[in-house]
Amino acid sequence: MTEPPAFDPTLPDDIQWQPLPPRGALFAATGSALSMALLFGAACVVLMLVTKQSSWLLIPSAGAVLGALLGAWFGWRRHRLTFWRLDAQSLGVRRGHMWQSESHVPVSRVQHLDLRRGPLERMAGLATLIVHTAGTRMNTVAVAGLAHADAERLRDRLARQLDHDDAL
């Protein structure tokens, strides 16, 4: 494994937003599909009980399939519309298309950094970078679905920037 480059205080401010790797979209789609299938299936059961329908298997199954399809599409799209960038001042995370959110974590607010890799993430070469910050509002920022090399590089660069800022 090669050593990451030393901190460069002259990082350009026009660093491009980086997309998450496409292989993580399958995991995002699967997780959302399962969640939505359960939600739609349960909603159909409740609706069936309230309206006293007799199709005890057909309606919840159709609701679960519809929920799985919608959830898979939303999860895949959410993953494909998530971007990150690291500049000299902050880590930025941008999500969404219609309802966009953009979070910037100033390096001076970072308390500590974690990498999380479950068994499926390890198989796909992915990781989740968790940035813990000072303060109470949004005190953690998690970027799931990063390529493992990118997550390690971000963690090391943020830690190096923290050390550099502490030395000043």
Short mmCIF file of all heavy atoms in Angstrom, two decimals, residues 102-165:
data_model
loop_
_atom_site.label_atom_id
_atom_site.label_comp_id
_atom_site.label_asym_id
_atom_site.label_seq_id
_atom_site.Cartn_x
_atom_site.Cartn_y
_atom_site.Cartn_z
N GLU A 102 -26.82 20.15 0.48
CA GLU A 102 -25.37 20.25 0.39
C GLU A 102 -24.83 20.54 1.78
O GLU A 102 -25.23 21.53 2.40
CB GLU A 102 -24.98 21.35 -0.59
CG GLU A 102 -23.53 21.35 -0.96
CD GLU A 102 -23.23 22.31 -2.10
OE1 GLU A 102 -23.92 22.26 -3.13
OE2 GLU A 102 -22.29 23.12 -1.91
N SER A 103 -23.98 19.67 2.26
CA SER A 103 -23.39 19.84 3.58
C SER A 103 -21.89 20.05 3.44
O SER A 103 -21.24 19.36 2.65
CB SER A 103 -23.61 18.58 4.44
OG SER A 103 -24.97 18.31 4.58
N HIS A 104 -21.39 20.99 4.19
CA HIS A 104 -19.95 21.23 4.23
C HIS A 104 -19.50 21.12 5.68
O HIS A 104 -20.05 21.79 6.55
CB HIS A 104 -19.60 22.62 3.69
CG HIS A 104 -19.76 22.72 2.22
ND1 HIS A 104 -18.77 22.41 1.34
CD2 HIS A 104 -20.83 23.06 1.46
CE1 HIS A 104 -19.21 22.57 0.11
NE2 HIS A 104 -20.47 22.97 0.16
N VAL A 105 -18.53 20.27 5.91
CA VAL A 105 -17.98 20.09 7.25
C VAL A 105 -16.62 20.77 7.27
O VAL A 105 -15.67 20.27 6.66
CB VAL A 105 -17.82 18.59 7.60
CG1 VAL A 105 -17.24 18.43 8.98
CG2 VAL A 105 -19.15 17.88 7.48
N PRO A 106 -16.50 21.92 7.95
CA PRO A 106 -15.19 22.57 8.03
C PRO A 106 -14.20 21.67 8.75
O PRO A 106 -14.54 21.01 9.73
CB PRO A 106 -15.46 23.84 8.84
CG PRO A 106 -16.94 24.03 8.80
CD PRO A 106 -17.54 22.68 8.63
N VAL A 107 -13.00 21.63 8.24
CA VAL A 107 -11.97 20.78 8.84
C VAL A 107 -11.75 21.14 10.31
O VAL A 107 -11.53 20.27 11.14
CB VAL A 107 -10.64 20.91 8.04
CG1 VAL A 107 -9.53 20.16 8.72
CG2 VAL A 107 -10.85 20.41 6.64
N SER A 108 -11.91 22.40 10.64
CA SER A 108 -11.69 22.83 12.03
C SER A 108 -12.74 22.26 12.98
O SER A 108 -12.53 22.23 14.19
CB SER A 108 -11.70 24.36 12.11
OG SER A 108 -12.96 24.85 11.69
N ARG A 109 -13.88 21.77 12.47
CA ARG A 109 -14.93 21.22 13.31
C ARG A 109 -14.84 19.70 13.47
O ARG A 109 -15.57 19.11 14.25
CB ARG A 109 -16.31 21.55 12.71
CG ARG A 109 -16.57 23.01 12.49
CD ARG A 109 -16.86 23.75 13.73
NE ARG A 109 -18.08 23.24 14.34
CZ ARG A 109 -18.64 23.77 15.39
NH1 ARG A 109 -18.12 24.83 15.94
NH2 ARG A 109 -19.72 23.25 15.91
N VAL A 110 -13.97 19.05 12.72
CA VAL A 110 -13.86 17.59 12.76
C VAL A 110 -13.23 17.16 14.08
O VAL A 110 -12.17 17.64 14.46
CB VAL A 110 -13.04 17.07 11.57
CG1 VAL A 110 -12.80 15.57 11.69
CG2 VAL A 110 -13.74 17.40 10.26
N GLN A 111 -13.90 16.23 14.77
CA GLN A 111 -13.39 15.69 16.03
C GLN A 111 -12.65 14.37 15.80
O GLN A 111 -11.54 14.21 16.25
CB GLN A 111 -14.54 15.46 17.02
CG GLN A 111 -15.22 16.72 17.46
CD GLN A 111 -14.30 17.59 18.30
OE1 GLN A 111 -13.73 17.12 19.26
NE2 GLN A 111 -14.16 18.84 17.91
N HIS A 112 -13.31 13.44 15.14
CA HIS A 112 -12.65 12.19 14.76
C HIS A 112 -13.35 11.56 13.57
O HIS A 112 -14.44 11.96 13.19
CB HIS A 112 -12.51 11.23 15.95
CG HIS A 112 -13.79 10.66 16.46
ND1 HIS A 112 -14.63 11.32 17.31
CD2 HIS A 112 -14.39 9.47 16.20
CE1 HIS A 112 -15.68 10.57 17.58
NE2 HIS A 112 -15.56 9.44 16.91
N LEU A 113 -12.68 10.56 12.99
CA LEU A 113 -13.12 9.95 11.74
C LEU A 113 -13.20 8.44 11.91
O LEU A 113 -12.35 7.84 12.55
CB LEU A 113 -12.13 10.28 10.62
CG LEU A 113 -11.87 11.77 10.43
CD1 LEU A 113 -10.50 12.01 9.87
CD2 LEU A 113 -12.92 12.34 9.52
N ASP A 114 -14.22 7.83 11.32
CA ASP A 114 -14.38 6.38 11.35
C ASP A 114 -14.61 5.87 9.94
O ASP A 114 -15.24 6.55 9.12
CB ASP A 114 -15.60 5.96 12.19
CG ASP A 114 -15.43 6.27 13.67
OD1 ASP A 114 -14.31 6.16 14.17
OD2 ASP A 114 -16.44 6.63 14.30
N LEU A 115 -14.12 4.66 9.68
CA LEU A 115 -14.46 3.93 8.46
C LEU A 115 -15.25 2.71 8.87
O LEU A 115 -14.84 1.98 9.77
CB LEU A 115 -13.20 3.46 7.72
CG LEU A 115 -12.55 4.41 6.76
CD1 LEU A 115 -11.39 3.75 6.05
CD2 LEU A 115 -13.52 4.96 5.76
N ARG A 116 -16.38 2.49 8.23
CA ARG A 116 -17.21 1.31 8.52
C ARG A 116 -17.33 0.50 7.24
O ARG A 116 -17.61 1.05 6.17
CB ARG A 116 -18.58 1.76 9.01
CG ARG A 116 -19.46 0.59 9.43
CD ARG A 116 -20.78 1.07 9.97
NE ARG A 116 -21.51 1.77 8.91
CZ ARG A 116 -22.36 2.74 9.11
NH1 ARG A 116 -22.63 3.15 10.33
NH2 ARG A 116 -22.98 3.32 8.11
N ARG A 117 -17.10 -0.81 7.37
CA ARG A 117 -17.19 -1.71 6.21
C ARG A 117 -17.84 -3.00 6.65
O ARG A 117 -17.22 -3.81 7.32
CB ARG A 117 -15.80 -2.01 5.67
CG ARG A 117 -15.09 -0.78 5.15
CD ARG A 117 -13.76 -1.13 4.55
NE ARG A 117 -14.00 -1.86 3.30
CZ ARG A 117 -13.17 -2.78 2.84
NH1 ARG A 117 -12.09 -3.11 3.50
NH2 ARG A 117 -13.44 -3.39 1.71
N GLY A 118 -19.08 -3.21 6.27
CA GLY A 118 -19.75 -4.46 6.53
C GLY A 118 -19.28 -5.52 5.55
O GLY A 118 -18.52 -5.23 4.63
N PRO A 119 -19.74 -6.76 5.73
CA PRO A 119 -19.27 -7.83 4.85
C PRO A 119 -19.61 -7.61 3.38
O PRO A 119 -18.81 -7.90 2.50
CB PRO A 119 -19.96 -9.08 5.39
CG PRO A 119 -20.87 -8.66 6.47
CD PRO A 119 -20.63 -7.23 6.77
N LEU A 120 -20.80 -7.09 3.10
CA LEU A 120 -21.17 -6.83 1.70
C LEU A 120 -20.36 -5.67 1.12
O LEU A 120 -19.96 -5.70 -0.04
CB LEU A 120 -22.67 -6.56 1.59
CG LEU A 120 -23.58 -7.73 1.95
CD1 LEU A 120 -25.03 -7.31 1.89
CD2 LEU A 120 -23.31 -8.92 1.06
N GLU A 121 -20.12 -4.65 1.94
CA GLU A 121 -19.30 -3.53 1.48
C GLU A 121 -17.88 -4.00 1.18
O GLU A 121 -17.27 -3.58 0.19
CB GLU A 121 -19.26 -2.42 2.53
CG GLU A 121 -20.52 -1.59 2.60
CD GLU A 121 -20.45 -0.52 3.66
OE1 GLU A 121 -20.04 -0.83 4.80
OE2 GLU A 121 -20.81 0.63 3.35
N ARG A 122 -17.33 -4.87 2.04
CA ARG A 122 -15.98 -5.40 1.80
C ARG A 122 -15.93 -6.19 0.50
O ARG A 122 -14.96 -6.07 -0.27
CB ARG A 122 -15.52 -6.27 2.97
CG ARG A 122 -15.10 -5.47 4.19
CD ARG A 122 -14.33 -6.32 5.18
NE ARG A 122 -15.02 -7.53 5.58
CZ ARG A 122 -15.86 -7.63 6.61
NH1 ARG A 122 -16.11 -6.57 7.34
NH2 ARG A 122 -16.43 -8.79 6.91
N MET A 123 -16.95 -7.00 0.24
CA MET A 123 -16.98 -7.78 -1.00
C MET A 123 -16.99 -6.87 -2.23
O MET A 123 -16.40 -7.20 -3.26
CB MET A 123 -18.21 -8.69 -1.04
CG MET A 123 -18.08 -9.89 -0.16
SD MET A 123 -19.52 -11.00 -0.12
CE MET A 123 -20.55 -10.53 -1.43
N ALA A 124 -17.66 -5.74 -2.14
CA ALA A 124 -17.77 -4.81 -3.27
C ALA A 124 -16.66 -3.77 -3.29
O ALA A 124 -16.62 -2.94 -4.21
CB ALA A 124 -19.12 -4.12 -3.24
N GLY A 125 -15.77 -3.76 -2.29
CA GLY A 125 -14.71 -2.76 -2.24
C GLY A 125 -15.21 -1.38 -1.88
O GLY A 125 -14.68 -0.38 -2.34
N LEU A 126 -16.25 -1.33 -1.04
CA LEU A 126 -16.86 -0.06 -0.63
C LEU A 126 -16.63 0.18 0.86
O LEU A 126 -16.27 -0.74 1.60
CB LEU A 126 -18.35 -0.07 -0.93
CG LEU A 126 -18.76 -0.25 -2.38
CD1 LEU A 126 -20.27 -0.43 -2.49
CD2 LEU A 126 -18.29 0.90 -3.22
N ALA A 127 -16.89 1.40 1.29
CA ALA A 127 -16.78 1.75 2.71
C ALA A 127 -17.68 2.95 2.99
O ALA A 127 -18.10 3.66 2.08
CB ALA A 127 -15.33 2.07 3.08
N THR A 128 -17.96 3.15 4.27
CA THR A 128 -18.69 4.32 4.74
C THR A 128 -17.75 5.16 5.58
O THR A 128 -17.19 4.66 6.56
CB THR A 128 -19.92 3.91 5.57
OG1 THR A 128 -20.79 3.13 4.75
CG2 THR A 128 -20.68 5.13 6.08
N LEU A 129 -17.57 6.41 5.22
CA LEU A 129 -16.75 7.33 6.00
C LEU A 129 -17.69 8.10 6.92
O LEU A 129 -18.67 8.70 6.46
CB LEU A 129 -16.01 8.31 5.09
CG LEU A 129 -15.21 9.40 5.81
CD1 LEU A 129 -14.03 8.80 6.56
CD2 LEU A 129 -14.74 10.45 4.82
N ILE A 130 -17.39 8.06 8.22
CA ILE A 130 -18.20 8.78 9.21
C ILE A 130 -17.32 9.87 9.81
O ILE A 130 -16.27 9.58 10.39
CB ILE A 130 -18.73 7.84 10.30
CG1 ILE A 130 -19.53 6.71 9.65
CG2 ILE A 130 -19.58 8.60 11.31
CD1 ILE A 130 -19.85 5.58 10.58
N VAL A 131 -17.77 11.11 9.66
CA VAL A 131 -17.04 12.26 10.17
C VAL A 131 -17.80 12.80 11.37
O VAL A 131 -18.95 13.24 11.24
CB VAL A 131 -16.90 13.36 9.09
CG1 VAL A 131 -16.13 14.55 9.62
CG2 VAL A 131 -16.26 12.80 7.83
N HIS A 132 -17.19 12.73 12.55
CA HIS A 132 -17.80 13.26 13.78
C HIS A 132 -17.30 14.68 13.97
O HIS A 132 -16.10 14.93 13.91
CB HIS A 132 -17.42 12.40 14.98
CG HIS A 132 -17.85 10.97 14.84
ND1 HIS A 132 -19.10 10.54 15.24
CD2 HIS A 132 -17.23 9.88 14.34
CE1 HIS A 132 -19.21 9.25 14.99
NE2 HIS A 132 -18.08 8.82 14.45
N THR A 133 -18.26 15.59 14.21
CA THR A 133 -17.90 17.00 14.31
C THR A 133 -18.23 17.55 15.69
O THR A 133 -18.97 16.94 16.46
CB THR A 133 -18.67 17.84 13.27
OG1 THR A 133 -20.06 17.75 13.55
CG2 THR A 133 -18.38 17.34 11.86
N ALA A 134 -17.69 18.72 15.96
CA ALA A 134 -18.02 19.44 17.18
C ALA A 134 -19.40 20.06 17.00
O ALA A 134 -19.83 20.37 15.89
CB ALA A 134 -16.98 20.53 17.44
N GLY A 135 -20.10 20.23 18.09
CA GLY A 135 -21.42 20.83 18.01
C GLY A 135 -22.52 19.80 18.15
O GLY A 135 -22.27 18.60 18.23
N THR A 136 -23.76 20.27 18.17
CA THR A 136 -24.88 19.36 18.39
C THR A 136 -25.71 19.14 17.13
O THR A 136 -26.25 18.08 16.94
CB THR A 136 -25.81 19.91 19.49
OG1 THR A 136 -26.24 21.20 19.12
CG2 THR A 136 -25.09 19.96 20.82
N ARG A 137 -25.84 20.12 16.27
CA ARG A 137 -26.66 19.96 15.07
C ARG A 137 -25.85 19.24 14.00
O ARG A 137 -24.76 19.67 13.65
CB ARG A 137 -27.10 21.31 14.55
CG ARG A 137 -28.06 21.17 13.38
CD ARG A 137 -28.58 22.53 12.95
NE ARG A 137 -29.47 22.39 11.84
CZ ARG A 137 -29.08 22.39 10.57
NH1 ARG A 137 -27.82 22.53 10.27
NH2 ARG A 137 -29.96 22.24 9.60
N MET A 138 -26.39 18.13 13.51
CA MET A 138 -25.72 17.33 12.49
C MET A 138 -24.28 17.03 12.91
O MET A 138 -23.32 17.36 12.22
CB MET A 138 -25.75 18.04 11.14
CG MET A 138 -27.12 18.11 10.55
SD MET A 138 -27.18 18.79 8.89
CE MET A 138 -26.05 17.74 8.01
N ASN A 139 -24.12 16.41 14.08
CA ASN A 139 -22.78 16.19 14.61
C ASN A 139 -22.05 15.02 13.96
O ASN A 139 -20.91 14.76 14.27
CB ASN A 139 -22.81 16.02 16.12
CG ASN A 139 -23.66 14.84 16.54
OD1 ASN A 139 -24.33 14.23 15.73
ND2 ASN A 139 -23.64 14.54 17.82
N THR A 140 -22.70 14.30 13.05
CA THR A 140 -22.02 13.30 12.24
C THR A 140 -22.47 13.43 10.79
O THR A 140 -23.63 13.72 10.52
CB THR A 140 -22.31 11.85 12.70
OG1 THR A 140 -23.70 11.61 12.63
CG2 THR A 140 -21.81 11.60 14.10
N VAL A 141 -21.54 13.23 9.92
CA VAL A 141 -21.83 13.19 8.49
C VAL A 141 -21.29 11.86 7.99
O VAL A 141 -20.12 11.57 8.17
CB VAL A 141 -21.17 14.36 7.74
CG1 VAL A 141 -21.35 14.22 6.24
CG2 VAL A 141 -21.73 15.67 8.23
N ALA A 142 -22.17 11.04 7.41
CA ALA A 142 -21.76 9.74 6.89
C ALA A 142 -21.89 9.76 5.37
O ALA A 142 -22.91 10.18 4.84
CB ALA A 142 -22.63 8.64 7.48
N VAL A 143 -20.85 9.30 4.72
CA VAL A 143 -20.86 9.17 3.26
C VAL A 143 -20.74 7.69 2.96
O VAL A 143 -19.67 7.11 3.05
CB VAL A 143 -19.71 9.96 2.61
CG1 VAL A 143 -19.84 9.92 1.09
CG2 VAL A 143 -19.68 11.39 3.10
N ALA A 144 -21.89 7.06 2.66
CA ALA A 144 -21.92 5.62 2.40
C ALA A 144 -21.70 5.36 0.92
O ALA A 144 -22.05 6.18 0.07
CB ALA A 144 -23.27 5.05 2.83
N GLY A 145 -21.11 4.22 0.62
CA GLY A 145 -20.93 3.81 -0.77
C GLY A 145 -19.70 4.36 -1.43
O GLY A 145 -19.57 4.30 -2.65
N LEU A 146 -18.74 4.87 -0.63
CA LEU A 146 -17.48 5.33 -1.21
C LEU A 146 -16.62 4.14 -1.60
O LEU A 146 -16.67 3.09 -0.95
CB LEU A 146 -16.71 6.15 -0.17
CG LEU A 146 -17.16 7.57 0.08
CD1 LEU A 146 -16.49 8.11 1.33
CD2 LEU A 146 -16.82 8.46 -1.10
N ALA A 147 -15.81 4.30 -2.62
CA ALA A 147 -14.80 3.29 -2.91
C ALA A 147 -13.86 3.24 -1.71
O ALA A 147 -13.55 4.27 -1.11
CB ALA A 147 -14.04 3.65 -4.18
N HIS A 148 -13.42 2.04 -1.34
CA HIS A 148 -12.59 1.88 -0.14
C HIS A 148 -11.34 2.76 -0.21
O HIS A 148 -10.97 3.41 0.77
CB HIS A 148 -12.22 0.41 0.05
CG HIS A 148 -11.43 0.18 1.29
ND1 HIS A 148 -10.12 -0.19 1.25
CD2 HIS A 148 -11.76 0.28 2.60
CE1 HIS A 148 -9.67 -0.31 2.49
NE2 HIS A 148 -10.65 -0.03 3.32
N ALA A 149 -10.70 2.81 -1.37
CA ALA A 149 -9.49 3.63 -1.51
C ALA A 149 -9.81 5.11 -1.31
O ALA A 149 -9.04 5.84 -0.66
CB ALA A 149 -8.87 3.40 -2.88
N ASP A 150 -10.94 5.57 -1.84
CA ASP A 150 -11.34 6.97 -1.65
C ASP A 150 -11.64 7.26 -0.19
O ASP A 150 -11.28 8.31 0.34
CB ASP A 150 -12.57 7.31 -2.49
CG ASP A 150 -12.26 7.47 -3.96
OD1 ASP A 150 -11.08 7.70 -4.30
OD2 ASP A 150 -13.20 7.38 -4.78
N ALA A 151 -12.33 6.33 0.48
CA ALA A 151 -12.67 6.53 1.90
C ALA A 151 -11.39 6.63 2.74
O ALA A 151 -11.28 7.50 3.61
CB ALA A 151 -13.55 5.40 2.40
N GLU A 152 -10.43 5.75 2.48
CA GLU A 152 -9.17 5.82 3.23
C GLU A 152 -8.41 7.10 2.92
O GLU A 152 -7.85 7.73 3.81
CB GLU A 152 -8.29 4.61 2.90
CG GLU A 152 -8.73 3.35 3.60
CD GLU A 152 -7.76 2.20 3.37
OE1 GLU A 152 -7.03 2.21 2.35
OE2 GLU A 152 -7.75 1.30 4.21
N ARG A 153 -8.41 7.49 1.65
CA ARG A 153 -7.72 8.72 1.26
C ARG A 153 -8.37 9.94 1.91
O ARG A 153 -7.67 10.82 2.42
CB ARG A 153 -7.73 8.85 -0.27
CG ARG A 153 -6.88 9.98 -0.79
CD ARG A 153 -6.75 9.92 -2.31
NE ARG A 153 -8.02 9.74 -3.00
CZ ARG A 153 -8.84 10.75 -3.32
NH1 ARG A 153 -8.55 11.97 -2.99
NH2 ARG A 153 -9.97 10.50 -3.96
N LEU A 154 -9.70 9.99 1.92
CA LEU A 154 -10.40 11.10 2.57
C LEU A 154 -10.11 11.13 4.06
O LEU A 154 -9.83 12.20 4.63
CB LEU A 154 -11.91 11.00 2.34
CG LEU A 154 -12.41 11.42 0.98
CD1 LEU A 154 -13.86 11.03 0.81
CD2 LEU A 154 -12.25 12.91 0.79
N ARG A 155 -10.19 9.97 4.70
CA ARG A 155 -9.90 9.90 6.14
C ARG A 155 -8.49 10.38 6.43
O ARG A 155 -8.27 11.20 7.32
CB ARG A 155 -10.09 8.47 6.64
CG ARG A 155 -9.81 8.33 8.13
CD ARG A 155 -9.65 6.91 8.56
NE ARG A 155 -8.52 6.33 7.83
CZ ARG A 155 -8.30 5.03 7.75
NH1 ARG A 155 -9.13 4.18 8.29
NH2 ARG A 155 -7.26 4.58 7.09
N ASP A 156 -7.52 9.89 5.66
CA ASP A 156 -6.12 10.28 5.90
C ASP A 156 -5.90 11.76 5.62
O ASP A 156 -5.20 12.43 6.37
CB ASP A 156 -5.18 9.43 5.04
CG ASP A 156 -5.20 7.96 5.44
OD1 ASP A 156 -5.69 7.65 6.56
OD2 ASP A 156 -4.74 7.13 4.64
N ARG A 157 -6.50 12.27 4.55
CA ARG A 157 -6.33 13.69 4.22
C ARG A 157 -6.97 14.57 5.28
O ARG A 157 -6.39 15.56 5.72
CB ARG A 157 -6.93 13.95 2.84
CG ARG A 157 -6.97 15.39 2.38
CD ARG A 157 -5.63 16.08 2.22
NE ARG A 157 -4.72 15.64 1.23
CZ ARG A 157 -4.79 15.86 -0.07
NH1 ARG A 157 -5.80 16.50 -0.58
NH2 ARG A 157 -3.84 15.47 -0.87
N LEU A 158 -8.19 14.21 5.74
CA LEU A 158 -8.83 15.00 6.79
C LEU A 158 -8.03 14.95 8.08
O LEU A 158 -7.86 15.97 8.76
CB LEU A 158 -10.26 14.50 7.04
CG LEU A 158 -11.31 14.97 6.05
CD1 LEU A 158 -12.60 14.19 6.22
CD2 LEU A 158 -11.58 16.46 6.20
N ALA A 159 -7.53 13.78 8.43
CA ALA A 159 -6.71 13.66 9.65
C ALA A 159 -5.43 14.48 9.52
O ALA A 159 -5.01 15.16 10.47
CB ALA A 159 -6.38 12.19 9.91
N ARG A 160 -4.82 14.45 8.35
CA ARG A 160 -3.60 15.23 8.13
C ARG A 160 -3.90 16.72 8.19
O ARG A 160 -3.12 17.49 8.75
CB ARG A 160 -3.00 14.85 6.78
CG ARG A 160 -1.59 15.37 6.61
CD ARG A 160 -0.87 14.73 5.44
NE ARG A 160 -0.51 13.36 5.78
CZ ARG A 160 -0.99 12.28 5.17
NH1 ARG A 160 -1.83 12.41 4.17
NH2 ARG A 160 -0.61 11.08 5.51
N GLN A 161 -5.05 17.14 7.64
CA GLN A 161 -5.41 18.56 7.71
C GLN A 161 -5.67 18.97 9.16
O GLN A 161 -5.32 20.06 9.57
CB GLN A 161 -6.64 18.84 6.84
CG GLN A 161 -6.32 18.90 5.36
CD GLN A 161 -7.54 19.16 4.52
OE1 GLN A 161 -8.56 18.50 4.68
NE2 GLN A 161 -7.43 20.10 3.60
N LEU A 162 -6.28 18.07 9.93
CA LEU A 162 -6.50 18.35 11.35
C LEU A 162 -5.18 18.55 12.06
O LEU A 162 -5.01 19.49 12.83
CB LEU A 162 -7.26 17.20 12.02
CG LEU A 162 -8.76 17.22 11.94
CD1 LEU A 162 -9.32 15.94 12.51
CD2 LEU A 162 -9.31 18.42 12.66
N ASP A 163 -4.24 17.64 11.82
CA ASP A 163 -2.93 17.75 12.45
C ASP A 163 -2.23 19.03 12.02
O ASP A 163 -1.59 19.69 12.83
CB ASP A 163 -2.06 16.53 12.10
CG ASP A 163 -2.58 15.26 12.72
OD1 ASP A 163 -3.38 15.34 13.69
OD2 ASP A 163 -2.20 14.17 12.23
N HIS A 164 -2.36 19.37 10.74
CA HIS A 164 -1.74 20.59 10.22
C HIS A 164 -2.35 21.83 10.89
O HIS A 164 -1.63 22.74 11.28
CB HIS A 164 -1.90 20.66 8.71
CG HIS A 164 -1.34 21.91 8.10
ND1 HIS A 164 0.02 22.12 7.99
CD2 HIS A 164 -1.94 23.01 7.59
CE1 HIS A 164 0.23 23.31 7.43
NE2 HIS A 164 -0.95 23.85 7.17
N ASP A 165 -3.68 21.86 11.01
CA ASP A 165 -4.35 23.00 11.64
C ASP A 165 -4.00 23.10 13.12
O ASP A 165 -3.87 24.20 13.66
CB ASP A 165 -5.87 22.89 11.48
CG ASP A 165 -6.32 23.18 10.07
OD1 ASP A 165 -5.49 23.65 9.25
OD2 ASP A 165 -7.49 22.93 9.76
#
